[in-house]
Amino acid sequence: MNRPAPLPATLVPLDGARIVLATLNAKYIHASLGLRCLLANMDKHGGAGLRAQTQLCEFVIGQPATRIVEELLALQPEVIGLGIYIWNVVETTQVVRLLKTLRPDIKIVLGGPEVSHEVDQQEICRLADHVVTGWGDVSFPKLCRALIDGPQPLMKVIAGEQPALGELTLPYAEYTSEDLGQRLLYVEASRGCPFKCEFCLSSLDKTAWAFELDGFMAEMDALYRRGARNFKFVDRTFNLKIDNSVRILQFFLDRMAEAPDVFVHFEVVPDSLPDRLKELIAQFPDGSLQFEVGIQSFNPEVQQRISRKQDNAKTADNLRWLVGHSRAHVHADLIFGLPGETLESFAEGFDRLHSLAPHEIQFGVLKRLRGTPITRHTAEFAMAYDPQTPYTILQNSTVDFATMQRVKRFARYWEMVANSGRFAQGLQLLLTPGSAFGHFLALSDWLWQTTGKTHEFAFEKLVDRLFEHLTRVRGIDSVTVIAALLADYQASGARGRPQCLAALLTGADQRGLQGKRGADRQARHLAQQHGLRVEMQKAAAAA
Ligand code: B12
Ligand code: SF4
């Protein structure tokens, strides 16, 4: 869906605004919760009147830095606060460079996870006036007050205060009606994580803190009454405090009858799914609930090495239950490239996960996030990471560079073929019998050798490629393959003609398609809504 990015032309300077809070989101559909938290606390922690002097301004990566700067300067701010994340640090560095060249008098304040660690090693931090590390809800308003009214702050790097959550004003009233209608709404019932997985920034938190539940639920209700239907919980572990999880699930379940288009996404740890939760989960209708289940690795040795505590047997049971007894969409995450993991041990874990049949396997490659304790393995396992964002692993002592490249292509093709959901039947043929990982790696290697591409495959082209691979390379008889691919193709609703199916997509089929066009028109608006839903689901799962 091509939704317009927030066009600069719509940015009208707020009367009396002296502070601009800005960030570059990964896509338009992602609304920044972090900035809204800061905005909501301007008065409470910066003093009366500061909220009215602050304007929120969101951009999207890919927009030219000069345009962004032009728009920021047109707002005539005295202070610009920028939210810095792994996905925007490169582009925002250029924005700050331009701002400092054009208007060195404007105070630039940075914050966000990317600049909360290794501050002295980053060009963007060198260019800025101030960097707030960690939480910004209290420290940003205070800093702005000082920058505007004095006395001028002396410290460049400020450790963000971390108050009890009850001292924060909740940010949800800051979502506009445009946000409610067109974007994924991020919400948080808790912050922090008690677990210590070393690749993850949240491992530094050491504990989790819950927002006071009555107040939080009242905000969810207000959002819902204003028309919000797509909620993504950013809680690191939704199923930590089961009483709270139950109440939150019940809240959304109660609204399903009058609003069947409600969609809620949660991140869960896989080995804790008590019966109270299962009973509720089982009642959610199709398409309304999505779980992101972090597995990361099934290898006990690797799990222990990276301090990830996970009961693999319980994990498998719970996944089986979710897939078999609920209608929730289940996305399971795996990470390739962890220290000590080999291609073979990863393949074993992949096959184990695949046999549990989650709806999607999100195949990630290890990244060395700034500040994460995974660096303690760098020397022992010869971990070589790309120095450019997103700092992806290039090779280590158990996986050489060439193999890493192979697996990265696998991940890309997996997204295109398996996670696209367009090849249900074809995948049945492709991934069996034996090792699903082995079969898909063979397809991946073959696709790369024969096309040299990992992007820009038209669906029709992909159907033809699969046909060729399954018949010529795998030796499966063409009648079986065509039956599977034809079923997939027709289920997809696509209208082109892959070569291998051309003879079967006969005039009669085409007439059938034409006859359906009237109904199609009628269904178009439903399809648009569905498109938004699918995009929401995909976007929600992308973190
Ligand atoms: C939503 C999300 C996304 C969205 C993008 C959202 C957007 N706005 O565009 C999507 C799904 C696209 C995404 C993708 C990825 N993400 Co992500 N994502 C998140 C998530 C789940 C929620 C962010 C959030 O809203 N948090 C809640 C708010 C309140 O916290 P906050 O944003 O940190 O803001 C606070 C402070 O940072 C600070 N602050 C923020 N802005 C500012 C500005 C100023 C001026 C100041 C002073 C302070 C300040 O104050 C805020 C309030 O205390 C976090 C995990 C998490 N739960 O935080 C990961 C997280 C941000 N993502 C992470 C990562 C690694 C990724 C990926 C690389 C994952 C991958 N695929 O491998 C990709 C990168 C995408 C890309 N294109 O390159 C890491 C970030 C590491 C980093 N250094 O930035 C996180 C922290 C996860 C983790 N635990 O490791 N992600
Ligand atoms: S991977 Fe998940 S469980 Fe582990 S520290 Fe990060 S948020 Fe917590």
Side-chain angles (χ1 to χ4, degrees), residues 21 24-27 30-35 37-38 61 81-87 109-114 132 134-137 140 186 188 191 200-202 232 234-236 267 367 369 390 539 542-543:
L21 259 176
L24 279 67
N25 292 314
K27 284 185 184 170
H30 303 287
S32 167
L33 175 60
L35 290 194
C37 288
L38 270 48
I61 52 174
L82 291 163
I84 314 297
Y85 297 82
I86 194 167
W87 56 81
V109 181
L110 308 179
E114 184 66 5
V132 177
W135 296 12
D137 321 63
F140 182 71
Y186 288 101
E188 51 174 1
R191 276 191 191 171
C200 174
L201 253 188
S202 305
K232 174 171 173 175
V234 297
D235 303 48
R236 273 57 161 192
E267 288 185 30
K367 298 172 177 65
L369 304 183

Side-chain angles (χ1 to χ4, degrees), residues 28 41 52 122 136 177 180 183 214 227 234 244 354 362 392 428 437 467:
Y28 169 72
N41 283 281
Q122 302 194 58
S177 42
L180 261 53
R183 308 175 79 187
D214 286 337
V234 297
N244 288 13
H354 182 257
Q362 300 277 329
T392 311
Q428 280 295 335
F437 185 88
F467 174 77

Side-chain angles (χ1 to χ4, degrees), residues 178-420:
E178 183 189 326
D179 297 333
L180 261 53
Q182 302 188 356
R183 308 175 79 187
L184 198 53
L185 298 187
Y186 288 101
V187 300
E188 51 174 1
S190 65
R191 276 191 191 171
C193 181
F195 300 108
K196 295 193 173 53
C197 320
E198 292 174 16
F199 56 83
C200 174
L201 253 188
S202 305
S203 64
L204 303 177
D205 295 335
K206 298 193 175 64
T207 185
W209 307 268
F211 283 90
E212 191 273 314
L213 201 54
D214 286 337
F216 176 76
M217 295 317 303
E219 291 290 334
M220 293 304 98
D221 195 42
L223 276 180
Y224 171 78
R225 283 171 196 277
R226 288 176 60 205
R229 293 295 180 266
N230 297 291
F231 298 81
K232 174 171 173 175
F233 280 72
V234 297
D235 303 48
R236 273 57 161 192
T237 312
F238 173 67
N239 50 342
L240 204 57
K241 257 189 156 181
I242 299 301
D243 285 343
N244 288 13
S245 323
V246 162
R247 193 152 154 220
I248 292 168
L249 280 179
Q250 189 68 58
F251 169 88
F252 288 106
L253 191 57
D254 290 345
R255 275 140 195 88
M256 289 290 161
E258 67 172 27
D261 53 342
V262 166
F263 165 71
V264 209
H265 172 106
F266 299 106
E267 288 185 30
V268 292
V269 282
D271 47 9
S272 164
L273 212 55
D275 288 344
R276 283 199 298 153
L277 271 192
K278 286 183 179 166
E279 277 161 28
L280 278 171
I281 291 169
Q283 295 175 52
F284 276 78
D286 235 354
S288 58
L289 196 55
Q290 182 163 287
F291 287 118
E292 189 175 336
V293 187
I295 309 291
Q296 319 310 0
S297 172
F298 263 127
N299 183 336
E301 210 180 288
V302 172
Q303 286 169 342
Q304 198 189 12
R305 183 169 299 124
I306 59 158
S307 315
R308 185 174 170 87
K309 289 208 171 81
Q310 183 172 298
D311 180 329
N312 286 342
K314 267 196 195 159
T315 295
D317 284 349
N318 287 338
L319 270 179
R320 222 174 272 117
W321 183 88
L322 279 172
V323 175
H325 298 271
S326 83
R327 278 156 287 182
H329 213 258
V330 180
H331 291 194
D333 298 343
L334 280 182
I335 297 181
F336 184 73
L338 290 166
E341 188 89 88
T342 61
L343 186 66
E344 294 69 29
S345 67
F346 184 80
E348 244 172 68
F350 185 98
D351 286 342
R352 183 166 180 189
L353 180 58
H354 182 257
S355 72
L356 298 166
H359 301 97
E360 285 192 19
I361 296 179
Q362 300 277 329
F363 192 135
V365 177
L366 179 65
K367 298 172 177 65
R368 188 205 72 89
L369 304 183
R370 290 186 185 277
T372 50
I374 193 92
T375 44
R376 75 188 181 99
H377 302 293
T378 298
E380 190 183 347
F381 290 89
M383 312 287 282
Y385 299 96
D386 191 335
Q388 298 294 320
T389 52
Y391 318 119
T392 311
I393 184 90
L394 297 170
Q395 67 177 16
N396 61 30
S397 58
T398 45
V399 182
D400 63 15
F401 178 63
T403 310
M404 204 63 88
Q405 289 293 96
R406 258 178 104 194
V407 175
K408 285 175 189 167
R409 284 191 286 271
F410 178 120
R412 171 70 200 130
Y413 291 132
W414 181 260
E415 206 41 46
M416 215 156 54
V417 178
N419 287 348
S420 69

